Amino acid sequence: MADTSFDVVVIGSGPGGYVTAIRAAQLGFKTAIVEKAYLGGICNNWGCIPTKALLRSAEIYHYMKHAKDYGLSADNVSFDPKAVIARSRGVVKRLNGGVEYLMNKNKITIIWGEATLDGSGKFTVKKTEAAAPKGALGEGAYTAKHIIVATGARPRVLPGLEPDKKLVWTYFEAMNPDKMPKSLLVVGSGAIGIEFASFYRTMGAEVTVVEVLPQILPVEDAEIAAVARKQFEKQGMKVLANTKVTKLDKKADSVVATIDDGKKPVTLEVDRVISAVGVVGNIEGFGLEKLGVKTDRGCIVIDGYGKTNVPGIYAIGDVAGPPMLAHKAEHEGVICVEAIKGLHPHPMDKLLIPGCTYCHPQIASVGLTEAKAKEAGKDVRVGRFPFVGNGKAIAQGEDQGMVKVIFDKKTGQLLGAHMVGHEVTELIQGFVVAMNLETTEEELFHTIFPHPTISETMKEAVLDAYGRVLNM
Ligand SMILES: Cc1cc2nc3c(=O)[nH]c(=O)nc-3n(C[C@H](O)[C@H](O)[C@H](O)COP(=O)(O)OP(=O)(O)OC[C@H]3O[C@@H](n4cnc5c(N)ncnc54)[C@H](O)[C@@H]3O)c2cc1C
């Protein structure tokens, strides 16, 4: 008979869940992971990875259309939407196999089905539709000393803007459309909304983005968001901030949206709408309420080590609150099991979690924005460097972008770094490491950046903050 008792069980196999399970197994815990739908969670199946595959197709299509700029010719450039989507789904399949391999390699038991918490250390699993991986356990009653909830999140639904899967999409349908829309309204300009807006615009759709707040990409530094907005508008995207979508009237194959900027409501007819107004944690229906696990605004309340208010129950990832990002979920999970093991890890420091948006141009940031630093009472020094001053960016035909850094004037500590431009999502990690090491301006002055690279804009921005910029 299969063993049904474990030291650690993780509920949900998203990036948070499966990484947590691996670290638990590495630490010598007898570990199981429960999954009801797809290995790899939202990130691998409907989030981070398939969007990046779509955006890569869009990027190559963009370059092909601009071949002349590089002295090349590519005539009659076109695309096959089905093939673009098939490539993205193929990437997903490959990664599902990767997660299964990692579970087996680390001797983690996969339990296939939907978990419900029954009481201290006890849970049951019931069968779901999704096909189980080979060798997975299934329906039944199980026990575990430590239960880590990593059930993720789902799209937020606003009244009047309810998705219907056909005309009004969430990220699920936007990732796998039945046909390419000619016109599209994206409600919400966070990372998810902007990535889809960027993909569909590059592929030729007329795209309107509506954001209720005064700034698009609301969590980003205002100056960076303004540069990004200008680039989006140059590409033909319509961007409306400080504006609400108040009503969606569905026709047979289109939607008439009422859009209100507070002055005069107007209507806009589009083929499809993407509702990208945020996500909410999956906290209902699997026993949290019965156990008395504390929640707040749709998420489980935890301390810096993933502990909930109920002994033996932990939570990590999207279900444990913002920022709802895969790397935050992974790190939170590692901290959680290391603390269970008694290893004294550092608690999660949310200021050190980078954020990336993979639109064209890309956006990346870590730490405080200029506004937040000032709100926190800091006296700041700000440095900026535009991509037009960087040889590699010009050589690559990608001279639109900038890096902005915020230092504490008194101590020289790097408080935040913000970027917009080509491949900045690959660059930000330099500043993340620097901030993690509590770097000051002096150490960055002494750091040698390779030439020619776009990373030199990072050094120049630092120099600019201290009146020492070289190439501008
Ligand atoms: C379109 C889109 C693009 C994104 N792009 C990025 C990006 O570029 N970078 C980034 O960092 N983040 C991105 N994200 C966010 C990222 O996907 C999430 O932060 C991440 O998936 C959270 O991981 P998780 O492990 O907490 O949960 P999830 O990945 O949501 O996984 C939770 C898992 O739990 C399972 N589950 C739920 N309830 C039960 C139950 N009762 N029993 C068994 N199983 C259960 C679910 O089936 C699911 O597989 C994106 C999200 C979307 C939607």
Side-chain angles (χ1 to χ4, degrees):
M1 227 178 85
D3 205 346
T4 57
S5 69
F6 300 91
D7 297 324
V8 171
V9 68
V10 187
I11 300 176
S13 74
Y18 88 77
V19 166
T20 307
I22 293 174
R23 186 69 187 124
Q26 284 174 348
L27 292 170
F29 290 119
K30 189 176 157 200
T31 306
I33 192 159
V34 194
E35 174 54 54
K36 66 174 184 179
Y38 23 66
L39 288 172
I42 290 296
C43 171
N44 275 10
N45 294 276
W46 298 103
C48 325
I49 301 295
T51 43
K52 278 38 185 212
L54 293 178
L55 285 159
R56 176 73 172 146
S57 291
E59 185 181 35
I60 293 174
Y61 181 53
H62 166 84
Y63 283 130
M64 287 169 77
K65 285 196 296 183
H66 290 85
K68 268 204 184 83
D69 299 350
Y70 297 86
L72 308 170
S73 59
D75 297 329
N76 304 318
V77 176
S78 66
F79 67 91
D80 170 359
K82 281 203 170 72
V84 168
I85 291 152
R87 176 177 179 276
S88 168
R89 300 322 296 166
V91 171
V92 165
K93 207 162 166 218
R94 188 165 154 192
L95 288 171
N96 288 147
V99 176
E100 188 177 343
Y101 162 80
L102 289 171
M103 296 301 96
N104 292 332
K105 180 183 162 216
N106 288 282
K107 305 200 174 9
I108 295 161
T109 302
I110 301 176
I111 307 173
W112 202 252
E114 187 167 354
T116 304
L117 308 178
D118 298 324
S120 174
K122 290 186 197 150
F123 63 100
T124 44
V125 173
K126 68 170 193 275
K127 207 167 169 215
T128 51
E129 303 266 286
K134 226 170 101 201
L137 300 186
E139 252 181 330
Y142 297 88
T143 61
K145 286 186 198 125
H146 307 280
I147 297 177
I148 303 176
V149 178
T151 50
R154 60 182 187 279
R156 181 186 299 281
V157 175
L158 291 186
L161 309 184
E162 290 86 358
D164 65 357
K165 297 189 180 189
K166 185 176 168 246
L167 299 171
V168 182
W169 294 344
T170 64
Y171 49 80
F172 290 108
E173 296 78 36
M175 198 87 71
N176 200 3
D178 50 350
K179 65 172 189 185
M180 291 302 266
K182 288 203 169 63
S183 56
L184 181 71
L185 169 65
V186 179
V187 189
S189 73
I192 294 176
I194 286 292
E195 286 187 7
F196 280 120
S198 187
F199 169 71
Y200 281 105
R201 178 66 203 131
T202 310
M203 302 314 268
E206 292 300 326
V207 174
T208 304
V209 177
V210 174
E211 169 58 57
V212 71
L213 295 172
Q215 176 188 312
I216 64 157
L217 295 155
V219 299
E220 300 298 340
D221 187 273
E223 228 176 315
I224 296 292
V227 173
R229 177 176 179 159
K230 204 165 148 201
Q231 292 303 313
F232 300 151
E233 286 173 339
K234 234 164 110 181
Q235 294 160 19
M237 204 187 280
K238 201 164 171 203
V239 182
L240 306 171
N242 248 331
T243 302
K244 255 187 193 162
V245 175
T246 53
K247 203 159 124 212
L248 297 176
D249 284 323
K250 292 172 196 163
K251 310 269 172 206
D253 197 24
S254 68
V255 183
V256 177
T258 305
I259 297 173
D260 190 354
D261 65 359
K263 292 174 207 136
K264 188 170 175 264
V266 291
T267 57
L268 172 74
E269 184 160 2
V270 288
D271 285 349
R272 296 291 180 268
V273 175
I274 298 178
S275 171
V277 292
V279 296
V280 288
N282 293 321
I283 56 169
E284 309 88 354
F286 61 97
L288 290 178
E289 309 86 345
K290 210 172 70 191
L291 290 180
V293 174
K294 206 166 153 192
T295 60
D296 180 34
R297 278 167 285 174
C299 294
I300 299 174
V301 178
I302 57 165
D303 67 6
Y305 304 95
K307 268 191 188 166
T308 70
N309 60 314
V310 175
I313 309 279
Y314 310 79
I316 60 112
D318 281 7
V319 75
M324 293 183 175
L325 295 168
H327 42 283
K328 175 262 193 184
E330 292 176 19
H331 195 66
E332 215 160 43
V334 169
I335 292 173
C336 179
V337 279
E338 289 187 352
I340 292 173
K341 184 78 179 173
L343 294 185
H344 309 294
H346 291 295
M348 176 62 101
D349 180 354
K350 291 196 173 178
L351 255 192
L352 295 178
I353 302 171
C356 294
T357 307
Y358 300 77
C359 45
H360 178 73
Q362 295 181 351
I363 292 130
S365 59
V366 60
L368 295 173
T369 61
E370 184 178 353
K372 290 267 179 227
K374 286 179 176 162
E375 255 172 60
K378 304 271 184 198
D379 201 2
V380 296
R381 264 182 186 274
V382 177
R384 299 171 182 83
F385 194 80
F387 276 30
V388 281
N390 178 270
K392 176 79 178 288
I394 294 170
Q396 294 217 318
E398 296 287 355
D399 64 359
Q400 293 304 300
M402 78 177 275
V403 175
K404 175 174 176 181
V405 286
I406 325 285
F407 285 93
D408 186 321
K409 205 173 197 172
K410 207 153 80 197
T411 62
Q413 187 183 356
L414 180 61
L415 298 174
H418 308 273
M419 305 174 166
V420 51
H422 185 59
E423 288 301 338
V424 294
T425 58
E426 294 293 339
L427 298 187
I428 194 68
Q429 194 56 13
F431 281 136
V432 179
V433 172
M435 283 184 62
N436 202 32
L437 299 176
E438 296 178 4
T439 299
T440 63
E441 84 289 3
E442 272 300 325
E443 285 142 343
L444 287 166
F445 292 163
H446 288 290
T447 305
I448 300 166
F449 285 69
H451 176 78
T453 61
I454 298 179
S455 74
E456 289 168 287
T457 58
M458 297 162 68
K459 171 95 174 242
E460 291 279 14
V462 170
L463 292 172
D464 182 59
Y466 288 85
R468 294 174 48 169
V469 70
L470 297 169
N471 284 288
M472 198 32 95

